[in-house]
């Protein structure tokens, strides 16, 4: 790392070949593989340019025009622009909705909401993680409070019907009347149907709870008006910006302003969410916001208002439905019977291959997905399904016929997994060993087919890093 000029002005590839090579390897992996993790996407070159800009240098604790440090004239303009564009992207009136664009990501955004409006050990209700909810919606097991959400607050999960795979709203209503939560969370991590926000609102009103939507997975679909909007019924909406929105890895919180309800006496009760949520983000949970991310939010929110973005979101859903249809034709059981959104949950119980084995063998042939619980699973550590998403593949330009081919690749890989399992037995450690030792040639053949197919579709961003 020696040289005749300071490392402060050298390119990464000049300065650290070891690190740069690893980054290049990751770029090659992305080019040569099929990225089907539903929470992942490729961001734009322009967002990457925001993330690598001088904005990383600046501290700006506080809100625009109310900072704890000087020198924030232009940072204030960027954050105000991000706020304005975030509201516009979801067609929100600034007199009725406010927004905080400082959360570092989705999990901190959710925790800030709980911190702001739910007292310690206050009650919350979210979709159970094994049924398609997210860790931050209050996941715990009989042995352990897994998420900090469950450590500091008192969660009671609601469930899906094990037969249909659909949220059991009647059971949720009954539980909420008994539990009396402070907050109900309408949000998903692996649930392939649109949420009934109107029903959620009725349930929340019946027990006096706030209603929060975590639309992190589907915010791009909401922005493009491909699926129903949570803003019509919810008090608070959180989202990440790096999934279907194709922005930076960051988080946003929207909150209602104005009149919350009118008492029988005619007295108006106003929302008091703005100050509480803003104070929870800073100074409650975070220090200085990441200004390079906030610039990326401003940019991706502008991009989300374009016709190109709307067409992309429509194609994301078409591709997910095409993938679903083809896998069903191959005989796979799709949880909830299909999809309205960007993902599907494949139940492999009838196939006889665990989610962990399916994830491993798919990864070996350059198809990235994640093992996932399906309704009725006893343990999140040994799930029976895999979650597949189409946002990243659609960003690369794939259409329905391409997803049919992807489904064929998945089917061939799962069948190869079953062949391996016959020889290895049930244990995952043995499965991996036998796969890599005795089925190397078959894996390599399928991997090369996937690679050849994937390389037909370009990635946005820098060419080789």
């Amino acid at each position: 790392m020696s040289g005749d000029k300071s490392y402060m002005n050298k390119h990464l590839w000049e300065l650290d070949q070891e690190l740069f090579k690893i980054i290049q390897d990751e770029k090659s992996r992305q080019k040569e593989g099929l990225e089907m993790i539903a929470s992942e996407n490729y961001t734009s070159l322009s967002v990457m340019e925001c993330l690598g800009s001088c904005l990383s240098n600046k501290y700006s604790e506080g809100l625009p025009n109310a900072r704890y440090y000087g020198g924030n004239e232009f940072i204030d303009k960027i954050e105000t622009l991000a706020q304005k564009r975030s509201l516009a992207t979801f067609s929100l009136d600034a007199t009725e909705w406010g927004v905080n664009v400082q959360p570092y990501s989705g999990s901190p955004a959710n925790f800030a909401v709980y911190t702001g409006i739910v007292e310690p050990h206050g009650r919350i209700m979210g979709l159970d993680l094994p049924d398609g909810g997210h860790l931050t919606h209050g996941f715990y097991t009989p042995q352990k409070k897994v998420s900090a959400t469950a450590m500091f607050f008192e969660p009671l999960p609601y469930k899906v019907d094990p037969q249909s795979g659909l949220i059991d709203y009647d059971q949720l209503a009954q539980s909420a009347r008994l539990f009396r939560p402070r907050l109900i969370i309408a949000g998903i991590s692996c649930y392939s149907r649109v949420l009934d926000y109107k029903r959620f609102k009725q349930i929340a009103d019946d027990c006096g709870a706030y209603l929060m939507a975590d639309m992190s997975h589907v915010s791009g679909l909401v922005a493009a008006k491909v699926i129903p909007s949570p803003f019509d019924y919810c008090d608070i909406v959180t989202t990440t910006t790096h999934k279907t929105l194709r922005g930076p890895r960051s988080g946003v919180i929207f909150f209602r302003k104005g009149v919350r309800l009118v008492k029988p006496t005619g007295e108006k009760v106003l929302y008091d969410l703005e100050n509480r949520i803003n104070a929870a983000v800073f100074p409650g949970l975070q220090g200085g916001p990441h200004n390079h991310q906030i610039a990326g939010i401003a940019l991706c929110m502008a991009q989300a208002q374009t016709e190109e973005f709307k067409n992309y979101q429509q194609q994301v859903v078409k591709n997910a439905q095409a993938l679903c249809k083809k896998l069903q034709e191959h005989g796979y059981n799709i949880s909830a019977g299909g999809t309205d959104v960007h993902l599907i949950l494949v139940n492999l119980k009838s196939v006889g291959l665990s989610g962990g084995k399916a994830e491993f063998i798919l990864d070996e042939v350059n198809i990235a997905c994640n093992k996932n619980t399906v309704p009725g699973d006893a343990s999140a550590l040994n799930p029976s399904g895999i979650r597949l998403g189409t946002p990243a593949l659609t960003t690369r330009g794939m259409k329905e016929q391409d997803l049919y081919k992807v489904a064929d690749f998945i089917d061939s890989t799962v069948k190869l997994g079953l062949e391996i399992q016959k020889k290895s037995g049930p244990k995952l450690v043995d499965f991996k060993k036998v796969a890599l030792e005795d089925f190397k040639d078959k894996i390599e053949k399928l991997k090369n087919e996937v690679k050849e197919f994937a390389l037909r579709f370009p990635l946005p961003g820098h060419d080789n890093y």
Side-chain angles (χ1 to χ4, degrees):
M1 292 190 183
S2 62
D4 58 359
K5 66 177 181 178
S6 168
Y7 69 80
M8 291 295 287
N9 289 305
K10 284 189 175 182
H11 290 293
L12 170 61
W13 49 88
E14 295 178 289
L15 183 68
D16 193 334
Q17 276 291 321
E18 181 182 10
L19 176 59
F20 185 59
K21 175 62 167 59
I22 296 171
I23 294 173
Q24 286 186 306
D25 288 345
E26 168 59 16
K27 183 71 175 188
S28 295
R29 185 198 69 82
Q30 292 183 18
K31 283 183 177 180
E32 297 171 1
L34 301 177
E35 187 54 74
M36 303 196 72
I37 294 174
S39 53
E40 293 189 13
N41 210 337
Y42 304 108
T43 195
S44 64
L45 175 61
S46 52
V47 166
M48 287 185 176
E49 288 169 343
C50 290
L51 297 176
S53 71
C54 65
L55 300 176
S56 293
N57 299 335
K58 190 71 190 94
Y59 248 106
S60 53
E61 291 179 345
L63 291 168
N65 304 310
R67 304 290 188 180
Y68 285 76
Y69 295 134
N72 278 295
E73 174 189 355
F74 301 109
I75 297 299
D76 284 354
K77 288 183 178 181
I78 289 171
E79 185 165 341
T80 301
L81 187 63
Q83 292 170 333
K84 180 180 177 182
R85 289 180 177 178
S86 294
L87 294 173
T89 295
F90 296 99
S91 305
L92 302 178
D93 187 332
T95 64
E96 298 176 355
W97 285 90
V99 60
N100 190 305
V101 295
Q102 293 188 6
Y104 299 147
S105 195
S107 295
N110 287 350
F111 204 81
V113 172
Y114 309 150
T115 301
I117 70 168
V118 182
E119 71 281 2
H121 298 291
R123 297 176 178 183
I124 63 174
M125 292 186 72
L127 181 62
D128 205 7
L129 182 125
D131 289 35
H134 191 260
L135 273 171
T136 60
H137 300 166
F139 183 55
Y140 63 94
T141 69
Q143 294 78 32
K144 185 178 182 182
K145 293 181 176 180
V146 179
S147 170
T149 305
M151 297 176 193
F152 296 105
F153 306 98
E154 300 300 328
L156 179 69
Y158 56 90
K159 308 285 287 180
V160 300
D161 179 275
Q163 303 305 317
S164 68
L166 301 175
I167 290 172
D168 190 335
Y169 290 99
D170 292 337
Q171 184 61 51
L172 166 58
Q174 184 178 352
S175 298
R177 279 194 294 269
L178 291 171
F179 190 60
R180 296 287 177 184
R182 174 74 165 165
L183 179 73
I184 294 176
I185 303 144
I188 61 96
S189 180
C190 187
Y191 183 78
S192 61
R193 295 300 187 180
V194 294
L195 299 181
D196 187 345
Y197 295 113
K198 183 177 181 181
R199 185 72 195 281
F200 269 112
K201 179 62 172 172
Q202 291 168 345
I203 294 168
D205 286 348
D206 187 46
C207 66
Y210 284 108
L211 179 60
M212 175 187 124
D214 179 351
M215 66 171 186
S216 294
H217 264 268
V218 298
S219 53
L221 303 175
V222 173
K225 297 181 171 57
V226 174
I227 63 171
S229 171
F231 292 99
D232 296 333
Y233 297 101
C234 293
D235 303 299
I236 302 157
V237 178
T238 64
T239 184
T240 52
T241 55
H242 54 269
K243 297 185 177 78
T244 46
L245 273 175
R246 295 200 295 198
R249 300 191 66 85
S250 197
V252 176
I253 305 170
F254 299 89
F255 42 82
R256 277 194 182 270
K257 296 162 34 173
V259 178
R260 183 185 181 193
L261 56 87
V262 180
K263 293 182 178 180
T265 60
E267 179 187 353
K268 294 180 179 179
V269 179
L270 300 179
Y271 280 102
D272 62 348
L273 300 174
E274 182 169 14
N275 290 337
R276 294 163 72 180
I277 288 174
N278 284 342
V281 174
F282 172 81
L285 296 173
Q286 297 183 181
H290 295 169
N291 296 302
H292 57 309
Q293 290 180 307
I294 292 173
I297 292 172
L299 182 57
C300 83
M301 289 297 182
Q303 293 167 347
Q305 297 173 42
T306 64
E307 198 63 31
E308 177 185 341
F309 183 83
K310 292 175 184 176
N311 293 337
Y312 162 70
Q313 296 298 339
Q314 291 167 355
Q315 192 63 50
V316 165
V317 176
K318 289 177 184 176
N319 284 351
Q321 291 172 343
L323 177 68
C324 177
K325 177 185 176 184
K326 188 66 173 178
L327 287 174
Q328 286 173 323
E329 289 175 1
H330 279 301
Y332 292 93
N333 177 19
I334 307 299
S335 186
T339 184
D340 305 317
V341 290
H342 63 300
L343 64 81
I344 62 172
L345 176 58
V346 184
N347 188 332
L348 295 172
K349 284 182 179 179
S350 61
V351 175
L353 193 70
S354 72
K357 290 174 184 172
E359 178 192 87
F360 171 78
I361 194 64
L362 284 163
D363 199 43
E364 286 299 307
V365 303
N366 282 19
I367 300 175
C369 70
N370 63 278
K371 59 184 178 292
N372 212 96
T373 51
V374 300
D377 268 352
S379 170
L381 298 177
N382 187 28
S384 303
I386 52 172
R387 182 183 69 164
L388 302 169
T390 57
L393 298 188
T394 309
T395 292
R396 295 183 71 171
M398 293 189 192
K399 300 289 177 63
E400 291 95 323
Q401 66 271 17
D402 302 309
L403 270 295
Y404 294 151
K405 181 64 175 174
V406 171
D408 291 340
F409 282 135
I410 292 169
D411 179 54
S412 297
T413 308
V414 170
K415 287 186 167 114
L416 177 57
L418 290 170
E419 190 180 342
I420 295 167
Q421 185 174 250
K422 282 182 182 177
K423 186 168 184 178
S424 72
K427 291 184 178 179
L428 179 59
V429 62
D430 296 333
F431 179 87
K432 290 180 178 180
K433 184 173 184 291
V434 169
L436 298 177
E437 290 180 357
D438 299 346
F439 289 83
K440 185 177 180 180
D441 291 343
K442 287 188 176 182
I443 290 172
E444 194 65 24
K445 180 177 182 297
L446 196 47
K447 180 177 181 177
N448 286 333
E449 290 176 15
V450 171
K451 177 181 174 180
E452 182 182 357
F453 174 78
L455 286 172
R456 290 164 41 195
F457 302 93
L459 266 67
H462 303 290
D463 288 339
N464 66 342
Y465 70 97

